[in-house]
Amino acid sequence: MGGFVTRRSILAALSTAPVLTMAQTSQSPATVTTRIRRLQLKHTWTTVMSSSTYRDTFFVEFRKDGITGVGEGAPIVRYNESPESAKAAVDAIAPYLEICDPGQYAKVMREVFARVKGEWAAKAAVDIAILDWASQRLGAPLHRMFGLDPADTPVTTFSIGIDKPEVIRQKVAEAKDFPLLKIKVGLDNDEEIIAAVRAVTNKPLICDANEGFKSKEAAVEKINWLARQGVQLIEQPLPAAQLRESQWVRERVTIPVIADEACLRPEDVPRLAPYFDGVNVKVDKCGGLQEALRMIYMARALGLKVMIGCMVSSSVAITAAAQLSPLVDFADLDGNLLIANDPYTGVLVRNGKLMLPQRPGLGLVANADA
Ligand code: MG
């Protein structure tokens, strides 16, 4: 029997050989590229907080073994973030990212969270790039790694920014393919704005006050009026810190009250549960899709409604957030539709419904002209 090659001996030899499977990665270092891109807006964008004609967002490219993962985050001034600070934060951890195993994306992001203080948009961009890489490596669309059915995506709202009534009427007409519109309220002329919308359409609406109502009493009066105008939910009627006041409002109105500015990260979800009907989860604020997923599941466990929202950003960040949309009640993922020079094509919208790419990873295709 000596020297006789058996099936068992072949299997034994194979089991100790360093075979690189689809789920493993090579030892060769990755290349990490960071960059700030200026996204031009189709319309000047106004909320109660700011007004602008462009938005600078932060991009990460993670290249390894011939695969490029792309991520994006929209830094938020309110949280002391800028595109420059995001870039500096990721450049500082590039030596770690270059030698990490992106297939172990949960561990990679634990390490990134330990190394980077704040800079949630930067962390989101890294998380998205690593997940895009890992799911491309496995040959699967990212939503399949989360076990989700692309047929379950909701419709997305289309947001109408604060503007003059004649411009609002024009914007609503342009949004004819969207069955659900989102209207920014919280200014002194809310009645005029809703009247301008209602002059053009009877579609259901959701409204976002961005903390803009002046008092809890004014909020109740305004929300009940909005409900009579066909508004289905209200986002963040009062300042983020006013939890008891928000609960007081919630007990006196007939439509769900959703926390947005009050809800940043997973630990906020149980804290807010007694005071709101639901939470708006934003990938840029919590630091990535893995954190967003935790927030969604925690909100569900607490009986909360879930909305997934976005900042103004390209199809990279929007397509990433859309990968989780089969899990939510309301999607507000129109940030890429507001820009004129989107560098990528990813998630599409058909009659308002989010259509996830079936290509591996995020399924992005670079636009040649951007
Ligand atoms: Mg909001």
Side-chain angles (χ1 to χ4, degrees):
M1 296 287 283
F4 198 74
V5 179
T6 62
R7 188 166 179 269
R8 178 177 293 180
S9 68
I10 292 171
L11 287 174
L14 282 177
S15 71
T16 55
V19 177
L20 201 64
T21 69
M22 286 288 279
Q24 292 174 318
T25 52
S26 75
Q27 297 293 312
S28 62
T31 306
V32 177
T33 311
T34 58
R35 114 176 236 208
I36 298 165
R37 296 184 88 130
R38 178 151 297 181
L39 307 174
Q40 301 294 340
L41 304 184
K42 292 177 183 170
H43 293 283
T44 300
W45 181 249
T46 305
T47 70
V48 295
M49 287 180 279
S50 64
S51 182
S52 56
T53 58
Y54 65 85
R55 182 78 161 91
D56 289 339
T57 65
F58 168 65
F59 287 74
V60 174
E61 282 186 11
F62 181 90
R63 262 186 229 99
K64 186 180 171 78
D65 299 348
I67 296 169
T68 302
V70 185
E72 180 188 15
I76 302 174
V77 177
R78 176 178 181 154
Y79 309 119
N80 301 312
E81 298 176 357
S82 68
E84 293 75 22
S85 69
K87 186 175 188 310
V90 177
D91 287 344
I93 57 163
Y96 165 70
L97 295 173
E98 283 160 10
I99 58 155
C100 78
D101 179 350
Q104 296 171 358
Y105 46 85
K107 193 199 280 189
V108 170
M109 287 313 295
R110 266 207 312 278
E111 185 65 27
V112 169
F113 271 63
R115 290 174 184 237
V116 179
K117 296 294 162 227
E119 301 295 347
W120 303 97
K123 287 186 277 208
V126 172
D127 172 84
I128 293 166
I130 297 280
L131 286 169
D132 183 28
W133 187 97
S135 46
Q136 285 188 64
R137 180 60 188 257
L138 292 169
L142 181 51
H143 55 267
R144 284 199 57 185
M145 301 222 312
F146 298 130
L148 304 180
D149 183 349
D152 291 344
T153 57
V155 299
T156 178
T157 61
F158 186 79
S159 296
I160 307 292
I162 290 169
D163 222 313
K164 298 185 201 69
E166 61 270 24
V167 180
I168 286 181
R169 281 196 295 272
Q170 179 205 332
K171 287 180 177 176
V172 170
E174 285 172 17
K176 62 182 185 318
D177 293 338
F178 293 85
L180 185 61
L181 300 180
K182 173 164 158 173
I183 313 294
K184 296 282 187 179
V185 294
L187 293 181
D188 293 335
N189 66 337
D190 290 344
E191 287 83 355
E192 188 183 24
I193 286 172
I194 297 295
V197 173
R198 281 292 174 243
V200 192
T201 182
N202 289 319
K203 284 174 190 173
L205 308 175
I206 71 172
C207 282
D208 188 353
N210 291 119
E211 312 176 285
F213 293 141
K214 300 286 180 282
S215 68
K216 63 184 196 295
E217 293 82 3
V220 167
E221 192 178 331
K222 193 66 76 73
I223 294 167
N224 282 328
W225 178 80
L226 289 169
R228 292 194 295 276
Q229 308 305 310
V231 172
Q232 298 197 328
L233 70 79
I234 180 82
E235 259 182 80
Q236 199 69 48
L238 296 172
Q242 294 187 12
L243 296 183
R244 287 185 194 289
E245 292 86 345
S246 296
Q247 184 183 37
W248 189 91
V249 168
R250 176 194 172 196
E251 287 164 355
R252 289 164 179 78
V253 300
T254 54
I255 57 176
V257 180
I258 307 292
D260 182 6
E261 282 82 353
C263 186
L264 306 179
R265 288 180 279 284
E267 63 267 29
D268 295 321
V269 177
R271 184 175 64 78
L272 295 171
Y275 307 107
F276 290 90
D277 297 298
V279 290
N280 188 344
V281 173
K282 288 187 177 157
V283 177
D284 308 82
K285 292 185 182 179
C286 66
L289 295 177
Q290 296 183 69
E291 293 296 285
L293 196 60
R294 273 188 260 286
M295 293 177 77
I296 293 169
Y297 284 132
M298 202 181 320
R300 287 303 185 204
L302 292 163
L304 295 170
K305 292 187 187 308
V306 180
M307 180 169 178
I308 192 157
C310 66
M311 309 303 292
V312 173
S313 47
S314 84
S315 281
V316 176
I318 302 303
T319 303
Q323 302 286 333
L324 300 180
S325 70
L327 292 169
V328 308
D329 302 299
F330 297 95
D332 178 27
L333 296 179
D334 63 348
N336 56 333
L337 306 175
L338 307 176
I339 64 175
N341 59 336
D342 196 336
Y344 291 89
T345 299
V347 66
L348 298 177
V349 179
R350 190 177 298 155
N351 298 322
K353 184 177 168 70
L354 293 164
M355 308 298 292
L356 293 172
Q358 291 308 297
R359 296 178 290 274
L362 293 177
L364 298 170
V365 176
N367 291 333
D369 54 347

